[in-house]
């Protein structure tokens, strides 16, 4: 169990009692119980309430809140409040302010406006963490620590002088000698050689494209500064509050700047915040992708949704409310993909501040609302789904995900501004989702046990990764590699020789030239598929052309190739095919891998196996049927051969 | 009479003789007389000419200009030149520079690049004002003082340290105790509690959404700093030049940052600058709206157009010239809606500087131009229209206008970026304009005597406003409230309970959830109307659904409701209907109010009653007819039953 | 010969051996020879390699490179490395940093991040130039000096205090007295009068439109600072390395900020960098335009292409690869228009840095690529084309080009944001290109000997220019002037009287009013042509209307006029006609000029006469025929009456 002291699927949300008069708190607890809430996150932005002046602490109100919750049988995920330094800290320690790429100094009134490398910030954050840990380590409501909030969400990088000095220290540690840095940063280009560590700066605003290796290292450094801040808090909590696991809420798949693979082994429990891209069609597929990625970072173990929304958020251009049933489908899709807890932001809608139009479990409209009824119903449903807790998801297909390659791919001066890492991941993921094949995301150096592995645009491919992928194929795996993969090493230097340097032997081809397309251009393949954005001029060197370009700048050249290597096969897709147009290629790759897409099921029926359970989510407006035998948990009904999933509904069947 | 010493409709423009050699000045006066000009604004940006070095004054040239004008019978609206501080001031007092939200310091070469809170600027502005007032108080040409120019146009807010200190002083005055500020700003949200006044800053650049109450207060503070600057100048002028009224030129309906309701009682004469949105179709309706709003700020008394253009301006993306007759129609539309003076920017087109492509009364092309001929003809027409001067406009319908709610509605993190305050005002206004119903704009707390009152998206609704609106309806009024009204209080805090907290009793409904639409989405109502941008899930609680959604996220729920309260009726329109699609609703509301739209007249015939006059402006390409009996002033012809208004022409009839 | 020591058409590219291990260098030389390379540019960004610490020099590696090249028979264009100051310089002399318009200080990691007026930069640049010149003046490989790289590309203007002081010094030199500056800058407008030189600043960020004369002078100053930097290096090179010509690579037609007319007499050899606008259709016409303009700046003498690309670049949004044959057609089009050397950026594709995806002569894919084969083939072709070298191009038509007018036309507050100087030049150029008429670009004050002269939108027209154009027409020339010409003088002050002040007598008309069009608006002329963006209300005052507006805001007024003056004719085109819609007007103007467009040839066949050669480039997919007799150089075949140019191919015939 990921939260040892909690014996149920966690259910609840962020609870900010400091925003409400104490009279409201007992009503909160009463309504939480009505909704089946058993875990709330408390204190996320309470620093200024807990330490109103430097070194002066006020814990009475929080004591009372925790006692009230405990009295109501509700466990607490207690947050360190370090994502919102108090005004006194910013005022007294001006060097702790966040500074932007062009030197602009950020002001007060928001959150996370601090420099992640600031010693003043760090010292103050450690003190408040120690205070909290000391006081609440023994509180019976406490089951989980929640360090900070969404590390790096608004302050991914700081460009101040403190950060510059910290960056130099980090670089000295990474490279030892300046010559090694000059080599890694390829400073022979544009005469950027450094003769002294003191000459090195953050990747500040430049009048034209800056050094990409410098940019990559500054991204690495910045991410590690946040991770160091997490580690510092975690270590305090472990020391002073042993036995209580520590988590922090990731923003997986949407936060580009944190390399969560590096956080995987640092947190006791992996947690994620997920919000729909409200205006995007079929955005539940993106949700599934994020959930699968979170599970991967959790090493396959159960994880928590620490934040998602009951309906609209407040920070997108148009904050679309959820449709009927969407709250339930979204939440249970997380559960299906490994979540053992479902928390919302937030319990009670704020009356003020920047987030007052964010939906909540208890909306402004109170209990006479569909959202409230759905929240209560979901709480009840989770009671029936208790047996699912602790089980693990069974995946079918591997897919590589890599933050560093994402960073590198989208630096400036790439062959086309239309190159988009997540878009490619999503396109392959979407096809697999519709084929009812569950994805296991993996580090590039760590191929899975599954017979099929997808590698979407892995621009940055190290030699280690190339070796791992080659071994995967040699050992019988089927690999599908998307375009613009295998191009550069960890310092954004092109691998020697023809593209794709790191993968050309494995793929059995060279790319003579990239042939990106104009913004309104599309091309056709000889199987009728339409592609856009990108094409390449491929020379097969062992690979067999499977599909070719009918037109466009690579007309008549291969578009998709297949290369048997050892016991396996390496496919290459050199152009941007949307999910539907990938069908032909991916069916053949599945055949190579011995995988069968479930063509007998409706495309909009999400189907995941978790332990002995099969969880079916019907996103369509029509009812669906699934061959199945066993007991359906939500209705409690036996199913003998054919499970009926009403339009918009969810069914969870325990296979006998 | 608003300008006691002027006995005619004021006619003229900005006159900048310092841009021309003195030989040109007598010709200017001769041509002004030819055009019927009787009032010119002089000295608007002359500070550096009048005080070329600190404390050194040169008035000789201005003496000569005023004497020349007086000799030609032309009165003077004399400006304080404080909108363009001289270069010596900026150079000697660098702390008087304007600083932007991200800390950028603005440079020289434009105008209004000063910090409105700068003590150095203020002291220097007072000195030059005193000098001018002392010297010209007794000049016989002087009939009006013109303080500054378009306060806050380019420097609405300054973010420097001086401004920060002034903001803190302002806040101390507003809140007294820090606890009151913490409460008003809801600093329990995101841990923003202030422990010391010194910690508070202007609403500077933040890494994510800043505190909305802080932003609102900073907007209020900034607007009041400008008003304080006006008051300081006005008081000097009153003291040293008694009997001469003081005005300043507003930019009503287009300047978001000045709350002109607060200026209403401070100026002796309300003046406005108005420029067409050149690329917008039917932009004369926006002109009418601005004129009605100016009249409202003037308390129904006559007012002045201090600036409008004879043809194109120079600062829009595409500066479209006026079509034949448009100059006359525009000018007389202002007159129809209460203006007692029509001044243009500017008399003679500049040969240089940023505004040289702005049209003028005397264009670069000189007197052999249609613009000049139109200017002369308008001067002559105003001679015939003398009797209209001093009369008041008779309105039919009230409409609420509120700057603070505009500010609050368009802060960040609202449910949809498509929410647009002025757009909603304009849509309702447009329907009324086409129905030949004249609008009286009112403060939200000050309902009118008219039987119908429109409240476009009044997001910020105080309890005082809610009470006033309720009393209006109880006393028999018909109220039409547009969506996203009644949501927050003066500190941007949501009123307790379901939306729309301040108005739900009056409207007889609750809004369970906002349902904003996607960018390309539209929905249909059951009367055939099409709507977009916004819908809501309404629960009637006393109100009767009149129209419902056929589709979209609120399908089948009420879209428009009607709630009889006391002697009146409160309507609610929960979606964005364009003017034409509002027809059904507004006709029914008019019926409730006992108002009859004039369906017998062409929609493009603007018709306003001012005193005993009816002013008809035919914006169509076809001639129009209006039942009327009396004397037509422009032609001098009697009219016996049917007034003929040629296409594009204006007619003014005195009803017998 | 422009490079005395080089006896062939120059062929090669930028060679950056410092990016490669020394083992690669001999292979480079071997492959250069294989490709026919005879000139490479070396050392462009090598400052930090040559002077790793202030005053410490390392020339050994460069000695070796030059010796190797010389051993291989390859001449060297040796660059001063001053476009990329080393990190030690930036670090030790922080005042040498580039500062942006809003005060932002640029960081390290790119290139040209220096203040062009910095004395520290200038001193260091002089020292390294002296060192290089001293060491390599006598090297036998050296044939050309290459000062800096693309002056002003990324740092056209700096806004720091050093620049401010330098600007003031420049202004004192230009104006002598402050009164003259106040007059030139028209500081009576918006009260901008200066009482002391110290009050004057660069054209920094302003809260509204800044003084246009200040902006123009700051542009002039900035351009001259770069030119001064060039002169300083050139003088050192001339002094220490006599006999070796000095060049620098222009970015003609795409770099707006350098007035290359002023550089014409300063460089020993005119060189240009040209890159296609990759996504633009028929971008070879823009190439031809740039080549003709380079030749004009070179005074008609041969010039060099110092950079162009074999295929895609890396800095456009979508970097489209060249199609088959395009490399050859592009290169030879430069040759046809006067180039005596064709160099590419760069020899060998970089493995790292911001430009690694820029194509090269030797791609990442090595010699087994079409690009390499094309490069080798071009080298061979140039062998056959040796006789073309040194000959001069014969033009048919003159066209005015003026950087200052370009600057002025596109400052803010013009009548329409759609006004675009280069677009108008290109439209006229395109028609002439398709008519097989070769253009000679001229300074506005320097009309050509050709019978036809086109003046695209020459907004800034001095009296001197007006006189020159008038004399041109009086002496029999046919002039075609596009709209918005003749409006202002060198200080952006409107010429007195009706527009177009400087040209109304010559054109025989006045423009009563500009009538720009809405963004989606178009109008029609009575010859069926369609126009957009711009119209004018013209009053002929001697000119004869030739075409009129059928609709739009100038309906029924003249659109195109013709005015015989002395022995010639002045045409005026008052609206934006695309190349195709200009056909009618330009045919009539050609008839006036006695010029005959070659209607017998396909429009896509580029045809240029250079010395006794006719160079035909077939851009079409169909073969073309050209009546010709003589010897074809590329094939070596005689041609007797009809030259066959295969689709996509080039032919060069020496007329017997």
């Amino acid at each position: 169990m990921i939260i040892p002291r909690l014996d149920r699927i966690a259910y609840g949300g962020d609870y900010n009692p400091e925003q409400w008069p104490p009279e409201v708190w007992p009503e909160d607890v009463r309504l939480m119980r009505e909704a089946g809430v058993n875990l709330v996150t408390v204190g996320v932005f309470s620093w200024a309430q807990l330490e109103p002046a430097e070194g002066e602490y006020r814990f009475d109100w929080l004591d009372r809140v925790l006692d009230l919750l405990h009295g109501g049988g509700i466990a607490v995920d207690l947050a360190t409040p370090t994502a919102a330094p108090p005004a006194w800290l910013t005022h007294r320690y001006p060097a702790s302010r966040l500074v932007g790429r062009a030197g602009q100094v950020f002001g007060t009134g928001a959150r996370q406006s601090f420099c992640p490398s600031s010693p003043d910030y760090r010292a103050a954050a450690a003190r408040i963490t120690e205070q909290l840990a000391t006081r609440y380590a023994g509180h019976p409501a406490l089951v989980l620590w929640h360090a900070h909030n969404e590390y790096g969400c608004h302050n991914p990088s700081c460009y101040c002088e403190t950060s510059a000095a910290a960056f130099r220290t980090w670089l000295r540690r990474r490279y030892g000698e300046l010559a090694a840095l000059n080599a890694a940063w390829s400073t022979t280009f544009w005469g950027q050689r450094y003769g002294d560590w003191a000459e090195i700066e953050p990747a500040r605003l430049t009048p034209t494209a800056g050094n990409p290796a410098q940019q990559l290292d500054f991204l690495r450094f910045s991410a590690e500064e946040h991770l160091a801040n997490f580690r510092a808090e975690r270590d305090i909590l472990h020391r002073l509050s042993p036995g209580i696991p520590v988590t922090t809420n990731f923003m997986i798949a949407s936060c580009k700047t944190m390399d969560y693979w590096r956080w995987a082994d640092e947190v006791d429990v992996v947690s994620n915040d997920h919000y729909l891209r409200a205006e995007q069609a079929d955005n539940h597929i993106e949700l599934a992708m994020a959930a699968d990625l979170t599970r991967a970072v959790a090493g396959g173990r159960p994880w928590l949704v620490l934040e998602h929304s009951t309906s609209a958020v407040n920070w997108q251009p148009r904050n679309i409310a959820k449709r009927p049933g969407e709250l339930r489908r979204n939440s249970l899709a997380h559960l299906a993909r490994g979540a053992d807890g479902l928390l919302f932001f937030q319990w009670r809608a704020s009356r003020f501040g920047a987030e007052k139009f964010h939906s909540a479990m208890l909306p402004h409209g109170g209990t006479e609302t569909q959202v409230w009824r759905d929240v209560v119903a979901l709480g009840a449903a989770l009671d029936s789904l208790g047996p699912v807790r602790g089980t693990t998801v069974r995946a079918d297909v591997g897919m590589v995900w890599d933050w560093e390659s994402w960073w590198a791919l989208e630096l400036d001066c790439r062959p086309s501004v239309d190159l988009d890492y997540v878009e490619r991941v999503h396109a392959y993921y979407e096809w697999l989702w519709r084929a009812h094949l569950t994805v296991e995301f993996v580090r590039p150096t760590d191929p899975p046990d599954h017979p099929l592995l997808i590698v979407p645009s892995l621009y940055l491919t190290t030699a280690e990764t190339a070796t791992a992928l080659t071994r995967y194929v040699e050992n019988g795996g089927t690999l599908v590699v998307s375009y613009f993969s295998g191009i550069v090493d960890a310092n954004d230097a092109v691998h020697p020789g023809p593209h794709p340097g790191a993968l050309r032997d494995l793929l059995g081809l060279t790319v003579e030239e990239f042939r990106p397309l104009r913004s309104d251009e599309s091309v056709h393949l000889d199987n009728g598929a339409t592609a856009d954005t990108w094409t390449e001029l491929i020379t097969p060197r062992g690979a067999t052309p499977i599909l070719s370009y009918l037109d466009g700048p690579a007309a008549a050249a291969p578009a998709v190739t297949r290369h048997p290597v050892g016991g396996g096969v390496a496919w290459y897709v050199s152009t941007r095919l949307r999910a539907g147009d990938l069908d032909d290629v991916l069916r053949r790759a599945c055949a190579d891998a011995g995988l069968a897409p479930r063509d007998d099921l409706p495309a909009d029926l999400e189907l995941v196996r978790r332990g002995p359970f099969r969880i079916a989510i019907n996103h369509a407006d029509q009812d669906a049927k699934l061959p199945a035998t066993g007991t359906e948990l939500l209705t409690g009904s036996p199913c003998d051969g054919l499970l009926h999933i009403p339009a918009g509904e969810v069914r969870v069947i325990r296979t006998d």
Side-chain angles (χ1 to χ4, degrees), chain A:
Chain A
M1 296 304 124
I2 53 173
I3 307 178
R5 296 202 193 169
L6 197 71
D7 59 358
R8 300 166 56 199
I9 294 173
Y11 187 54
D14 282 81
Y15 180 41
N16 295 303
E18 66 270 40
Q19 294 180 19
W20 299 92
E23 309 82 273
V24 173
W25 302 350
E27 185 196 312
D28 282 328
V29 174
R30 184 181 60 75
L31 288 172
M32 285 178 190
R33 291 175 61 92
E34 183 176 326
V37 166
N38 54 41
L39 180 68
V40 291
T41 302
V42 175
V44 173
F45 298 110
S46 300
W47 195 345
Q49 305 297 317
L50 296 170
E51 189 181 1
E54 188 165 11
E56 289 179 26
Y57 301 98
R58 299 268 182 283
F59 289 115
D60 48 339
W61 69 271
L62 187 55
D63 292 350
R64 190 165 155 211
V65 165
L66 263 63
D67 292 348
L68 265 173
L69 289 166
H70 184 61
I74 295 156
V76 167
D77 166 35
L78 187 57
T80 65
T82 52
W88 58 256
L89 195 152
T90 308
H91 182 67
R92 184 172 289 186
Y93 304 102
S96 73
R97 285 171 179 269
L98 181 67
V99 171
R101 197 172 169 231
Q104 66 274 38
V105 180
F106 287 93
T108 62
R111 61 179 189 182
Q112 273 185 348
S113 317
F114 65 89
C115 165
S117 303
S118 161
D120 297 318
Y121 166 79
R122 288 179 168 192
R127 282 195 308 269
I128 187 65
T129 301
E130 284 163 3
Q131 289 284 333
L132 275 172
T134 303
R135 187 170 193 97
Y136 296 108
H139 197 286
L142 180 71
V143 300
L144 184 65
W145 283 106
H146 178 294
H148 203 84
N149 182 66
E150 297 179 340
Y151 275 97
C153 182
H154 310 299
N155 61 347
S157 290
C158 179
Y159 299 81
C160 73
E161 283 308 308
T162 303
S163 299
F167 184 40
R168 286 190 284 267
T169 302
W170 183 89
L171 290 167
R172 289 182 99 123
R173 213 161 45 225
R174 181 176 179 90
Y175 291 111
E177 299 297 317
L178 201 48
L181 177 140
N182 276 311
W185 286 17
S186 302
T187 55
T188 53
F189 180 81
W190 281 359
Q192 299 179 1
R193 184 184 169 283
Y194 293 97
D196 191 296
W197 292 99
E199 294 161 9
I200 300 172
E201 302 178 6
R204 289 182 176 139
L205 186 69
T206 47
T208 183
N211 184 316
Q214 179 187 10
Q215 293 184 62
L216 277 182
D217 268 355
F218 191 63
L219 284 163
R220 288 179 183 117
F221 156 77
S222 298
E224 291 190 16
E225 290 294 275
H226 289 286
L227 184 53
N229 287 343
F230 169 75
R231 277 201 208 97
E233 293 196 7
R234 180 203 60 194
D235 292 350
I236 291 167
L237 296 169
H238 278 179
R239 176 165 51 84
L240 298 176
S241 177
I244 304 294
V246 180
T247 191
T248 188
N249 45 344
F250 296 164
M251 300 157 289
I252 223 158
S254 68
C255 177
K256 182 175 173 180
T257 48
M258 296 295 113
D259 180 349
Y260 289 121
W261 288 127
R262 306 206 50 172
W263 294 65
D265 300 328
E266 306 282 352
V267 296
D268 299 324
V269 177
V270 164
S271 299
N272 195 43
D273 293 352
H274 185 269
Y275 294 101
L276 293 178
R277 299 172 189 192
E279 290 192 75
Q280 191 180 66
D282 289 340
N283 48 20
H284 51 268
I285 301 180
E286 194 277 337
L287 181 157
M289 183 178 92
D292 284 344
L293 182 54
T294 309
R295 187 180 69 251
V297 170
R301 289 187 305 276
W303 50 280
L304 298 179
V305 178
L306 267 193
E307 293 183 20
H308 66 324
S309 71
T310 59
S311 189
V313 300
N314 65 306
W315 45 267
Q316 298 189 5
R318 292 164 198 85
N319 296 291
I320 308 302
K322 292 196 178 182
R323 291 157 296 161
E326 200 172 356
L327 181 163
R328 185 188 191 85
R329 290 193 299 277
N330 287 168
S331 293
L332 295 182
H334 285 296
L335 184 89
R337 292 175 189 275
D340 265 11
L342 300 172
L343 282 75
F344 292 100
F345 178 83
Q346 60 180 336
W347 162 249
R348 187 187 275 273
S350 296
R351 279 191 50 224
F352 39 69
E355 297 183 321
K356 61 184 161 295
F357 295 118
H358 197 293
S359 60
M361 299 175 84
L362 187 57
H364 293 291
T367 54
E368 287 184 55
T369 55
Q370 189 60 47
V371 165
W372 174 254
R373 289 187 290 272
D374 288 350
V375 162
V376 172
L378 180 59
L382 293 181
D383 265 349
S384 319
L385 296 175
V388 176
R389 181 167 167 264
T391 59
T392 53
V393 172
R394 290 191 280 166
D396 306 294
V397 175
M399 188 179 290
V400 166
W401 176 280
D402 189 46
W403 273 273
E404 291 212 353
S405 188
W406 181 6
W407 299 345
L409 177 64
E410 297 178 5
L411 293 179
D412 36 19
C413 289
R414 273 57 189 118
S416 170
V417 293
D418 297 328
L419 289 163
D420 178 331
Y421 177 65
V422 176
E423 179 278 326
R424 266 307 79 190
V425 175
H426 193 271
Y428 283 89
Y429 188 93
E430 179 182 344
W431 185 87
L432 293 166
W433 190 95
R434 295 193 193 282
H436 312 95
L437 294 169
T438 299
V439 169
E440 180 182 347
F441 281 102
V442 297
R443 287 172 168 84
T445 50
D446 190 20
D449 292 333
H450 307 295
L452 179 62
L453 175 60
I454 311 285
V455 181
S457 298
L458 192 71
Y459 166 71
L460 188 163
T461 304
T462 63
E464 186 191 359
T465 293
T467 302
L469 296 178
T470 303
R471 232 168 255 156
Y472 172 79
V473 178
E474 287 171 346
N475 291 339
T478 297
L479 187 74
V480 178
V481 176
S482 176
Y483 56 83
F484 209 50
S485 295
I487 306 300
V488 298
D489 65 18
N491 295 312
D492 201 47
V494 172
H495 290 288
H499 302 305
L503 297 176
R504 64 182 173 248
D505 291 343
L506 175 55
L507 299 174
L509 55 82
T510 56
V511 173
E512 183 172 327
E513 191 168 58
F514 303 130
R515 298 273 166 93
L517 302 182
R518 291 171 167 76
S519 58
D520 57 352
E521 196 176 359
S522 61
V523 298
H524 301 87
L525 308 194
D526 54 2
N527 70 337
T530 300
D532 59 22
T533 300
W534 189 263
T535 67
E536 291 172 348
L537 185 60
I538 289 177
T539 307
R541 301 190 188 275
T544 305
I546 301 296
L547 298 176
S548 296
Y549 292 105
L550 284 183
D551 48 20
V560 176
T561 62
R562 181 178 182 277
H563 188 223
V565 174
V569 176
W571 288 79
Y572 185 61
V573 182
S574 69
T575 187
R576 182 174 176 269
L577 296 161
R578 288 165 200 276
D581 282 303
L582 280 169
D583 194 59
D584 195 1
V585 178
L586 291 178
R587 283 186 179 277
R588 298 200 206 190
C590 280
D592 279 341
L595 273 174
R598 291 285 306 256
D599 290 333
D600 57 321
L601 299 177
D604 285 336
L605 182 71
E606 185 170 0
L607 183 62
V608 190
R609 294 168 297 158
R610 184 173 174 188
F613 305 98
R614 288 161 75 199
I615 302 163
I617 306 173
N618 187 356
H619 296 274
D621 293 335
Q622 295 81 38
D623 296 356
K625 286 185 188 344
L626 175 73
T629 301
T631 308
E632 204 289 318
L633 274 66
L634 288 165
T635 56
S637 311
C639 170
D640 193 10
L642 207 58
L643 177 66
H644 179 249
I645 311 117
E649 260 296 356
V650 183
R651 289 291 178 264
V652 181
I653 193 160
R654 177 196 288 268
T655 311
D656 294 323

